[in-house]
Each structure stands twice: as C-alpha cells, then as structure tokens.
Amino acid sequence: PLEYTEASGVPFPGEVLRVGSEGEDVVLLQRYLNRISEDFPEISEVSVTGYFGNQTEASVMSFQEYFGTSAQSGIVDAVTWDAIIDVFDDVTGADGVREGQYPGYPIS
C-alpha cells in the first residue's frame, strides 16, 4: 500500500485520476495539494475524503494553471502527478531545514 510521507512523494500510481475517482491514490493527491497550498495560496485546499470531486478538480486545475503544466483539464495523468510530486518534494524538503542550515550544502 502507498503511504503519505513527508518529503517523499510516491510515483504515479498508473491510473489517471479524475472526477469520480476514489481511493488511496486520491487521498495522497489531496494531501499533496493541501501541503502545496500552504506555500502557494493560489492552489486551493481540499477536504481529504478519498473522493475526487469538484473541489479536488478545481484544486488540480489551479495547480495546472499556476505551474503551467501542458494540460489544464483537472485530470491527473502521469505528467500532472509528477509535477505535483516535484513541487511537494520541494516544499516539504524545506520543512526540515533548521535555522542557519541551507539545503544542498553539506554540514561538517
């Protein structure tokens, strides 16, 4: 089973997600979108229900528009999923940085 973990997005689940989709993959998507929305308020928050409804579709569309993914359809295919994971990994990677510590620099 897939797990939501900080700073570690899971690979595309292999199934396109759209309005009417349900399950664990949708829960992950909703959690990713909510974490991204903390740093990018242009991305609307969603209720984590496991059901891909209009609210999730609107959030995906705002993500697609803001980050300029090729398709702005509200459908989460491999390209959109990978873009969401890239942004999620970027924003959560910064969560673990302490004051005076910079990502990418080794600490001696």
Side-chain angles (χ1 to χ4, degrees):
L2 302 176
E3 280 188 39
Y4 167 79
T5 55
E6 280 275 325
S8 181
V10 299
F12 179 64
E15 179 182 339
V16 173
L17 302 176
R18 59 175 49 104
V19 171
S21 297
E22 297 181 78
E24 208 175 310
D25 297 332
V26 177
V27 168
L28 285 173
L29 171 66
Q30 292 167 333
R31 288 181 176 169
Y32 294 152
L33 291 168
N34 283 343
R35 176 57 190 90
I36 291 168
S37 74
E38 290 176 22
D39 287 17
F40 297 93
E42 300 82 3
I43 312 307
S44 53
E45 282 191 57
V46 297
S47 299
V48 180
T49 62
Y51 177 76
F52 194 124
N54 294 332
Q55 186 184 44
T56 303
E57 180 184 44
S59 184
V60 169
M61 289 178 76
S62 63
F63 177 91
Q64 290 171 325
E65 182 178 341
Y66 185 81
F67 288 100
T69 60
S70 57
Q72 296 177 10
S73 59
I75 294 173
V76 180
D77 57 6
V79 172
T80 299
W81 182 275
D82 289 345
I84 289 170
I85 293 305
D86 285 346
V87 174
F88 173 78
D89 286 348
D90 286 347
V91 298
T92 56
D95 289 347
V97 176
R98 294 182 299 250
E99 186 177 338
Q101 180 181 11
Y102 302 96
Y105 292 91
I107 297 178
S108 305

